[in-house]
């Protein structure tokens, strides 16, 4: 994993923690400040909304970077692993069998990202893009005047790209529920992701968990194993 991809990974991890914590507070204010003053006088909700908004902006930027690297990276082009080819389909099935049989069957090259893992991460980024679009629709809903501090072009772009969610989910409340529900799907994805990376580290014994820290893992030498 390249330094840029590792940086994006940890930025996304931190932003997700901030977005979930502040998003839950926005939906249901679950804590009060320790000072006796009313929360409304200390802008607790405003600070949570600000943190949620900043995390969302960073997600927007990283989503663009990931989309670019997904197609044009010189290191690895992930989209090639999800193309509907016979090779990718067989590799996907073999990794799945490996997972189900607790590594008793391993007939694929694990030195690089496989089709199963790429599909897994593609699902994550689809959910993330959905969160961004529904979140921006909830944001532009507050710009009822059609103007913003940076001009009218910004609300216009947001309406153009996100108003379809109102039709699909039956209005603003439906979009809010979809946004909230997808958050739980992303939390489930993160739990599965952590479990799977630890699982690979234990069963494959190639140090997969070190990829997000050093960028490398240990690939076994097949010639040595065959002797």
């Amino acid at each position: 994993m390249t330094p840029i991809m590792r940086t994006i990974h940890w930025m996304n991890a931190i932003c997700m923690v901030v977005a979930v914590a502040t998003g839950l507070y926005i939906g249901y204010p679950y804590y009060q400040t320790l000072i006796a003053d009313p929360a409304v006088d200390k802008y607790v909700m405003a600070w949570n909304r600000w943190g949620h908004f900043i995390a969302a902006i960073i997600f927007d930027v990283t989503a663009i970077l990931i989309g670019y690297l997904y197609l044009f990276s010189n290191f690895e082009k992930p989209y090639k692993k999800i193309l509907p080819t016979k090779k990718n389909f067989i590799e996907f099935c073999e990794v799945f069998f490996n997972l189900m049989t607790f590594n008793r069957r391993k007939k694929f090259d694990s030195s690089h990202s496989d089709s199963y893992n790429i599909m897994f991460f593609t699902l994550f980024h689809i959910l993330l893009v959905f969160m961004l679009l529904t979140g921006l629709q909830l944001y532009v809903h507050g710009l009822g005047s059609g103007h913003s501090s940076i001009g009218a072009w910004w609300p216009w772009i947001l309406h153009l790209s996100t108003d379809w969610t109102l039709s699909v989910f039956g209005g603003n409340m439906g979009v809010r529920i979809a946004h909230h529900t997808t958050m739980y799907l992303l939390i489930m994805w993160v739990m599965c992701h952590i479990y799977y990376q630890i699982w690979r580290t234990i069963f494959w014994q190639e140090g997969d968990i070190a990829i997000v820290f050093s960028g490398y893992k240990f690939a076994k030498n097949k010639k040595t194993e065959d002797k």
Side-chain angles (χ1 to χ4, degrees):
M1 183 182 282
T2 63
I4 293 177
M5 294 176 69
R6 276 179 281 152
T7 302
I8 291 173
H9 173 273
W10 289 114
M11 285 179 64
N12 280 347
I14 295 172
C15 286
M16 181 167 289
V17 172
V18 174
V20 169
T22 54
L24 287 173
Y25 185 86
I26 293 169
Y28 180 77
Y30 55 87
Y31 71 87
Q32 177 61 281
T33 55
L34 299 177
I35 306 174
D37 298 337
V40 68
D41 293 335
K42 289 174 288 189
Y43 306 105
V44 178
M45 178 60 79
W47 279 111
N48 274 275
R49 287 175 61 85
W50 180 83
H52 198 75
F53 187 63
I54 294 299
I57 290 175
I58 296 174
F59 268 135
D60 284 336
V61 175
T62 58
I64 294 172
L65 286 173
I66 290 171
Y68 177 82
L69 293 173
Y70 198 83
L71 298 172
F72 305 110
S73 171
N74 291 327
F75 176 73
E76 191 174 55
K77 294 181 173 59
Y79 78 91
K80 291 185 177 180
K81 285 287 185 179
I82 62 170
L83 295 176
T85 64
K86 181 180 178 180
K87 181 182 178 182
N88 287 339
F89 178 74
I90 292 174
E91 185 181 60
F92 180 92
C93 293
E94 287 296 340
V95 179
F96 179 75
F97 292 148
N98 176 260
L99 180 62
M100 291 295 103
T101 60
F102 294 97
N103 201 40
R104 291 185 178 87
R105 171 189 173 122
K106 190 165 187 268
K107 298 181 178 180
F108 59 93
D109 181 12
S110 60
S111 61
H112 297 280
S113 293
D114 53 74
S115 297
Y116 184 90
N117 214 26
I118 294 297
M119 282 292 292
F120 193 57
F121 275 93
T122 300
L123 173 63
F124 170 75
H125 290 110
I126 289 174
L127 291 174
L128 202 58
V129 170
F130 179 79
M131 284 294 278
L132 293 175
L133 292 174
T134 52
L136 288 173
Q137 170 55 223
L138 296 174
Y139 165 72
V140 77
H141 184 73
L143 302 176
S145 64
H147 297 283
S148 71
S149 58
I150 56 176
W153 61 272
W154 175 235
W156 181 81
I157 289 179
L158 295 183
H159 278 297
L160 182 66
S161 58
T162 66
D163 277 358
W164 61 271
T165 59
L166 294 173
S167 302
V168 172
F169 299 107
N172 184 264
M173 181 53 69
V175 175
R176 191 176 298 277
I177 293 173
H179 189 75
H180 193 77
T181 303
T182 307
M183 176 196 70
Y184 288 105
L185 294 177
L186 283 169
I187 292 174
M188 290 171 58
W189 186 96
V190 170
M191 294 171 66
C192 292
H193 168 60
I194 294 173
Y195 167 81
Y196 185 47
Q197 296 307 314
I198 294 175
W199 187 95
R200 285 161 48 127
T201 302
I202 294 174
F203 282 94
W204 291 2
Q205 297 182 347
E206 296 177 348
D208 287 76
I209 202 73
I211 295 175
V212 291
F213 297 101
S214 65
Y216 298 97
K217 61 180 280 184
F218 301 101
K220 294 182 179 179
N221 191 327
K222 292 183 178 180
K223 294 181 178 179
T224 304
E225 287 184 324
D226 294 339
K227 288 181 179 179

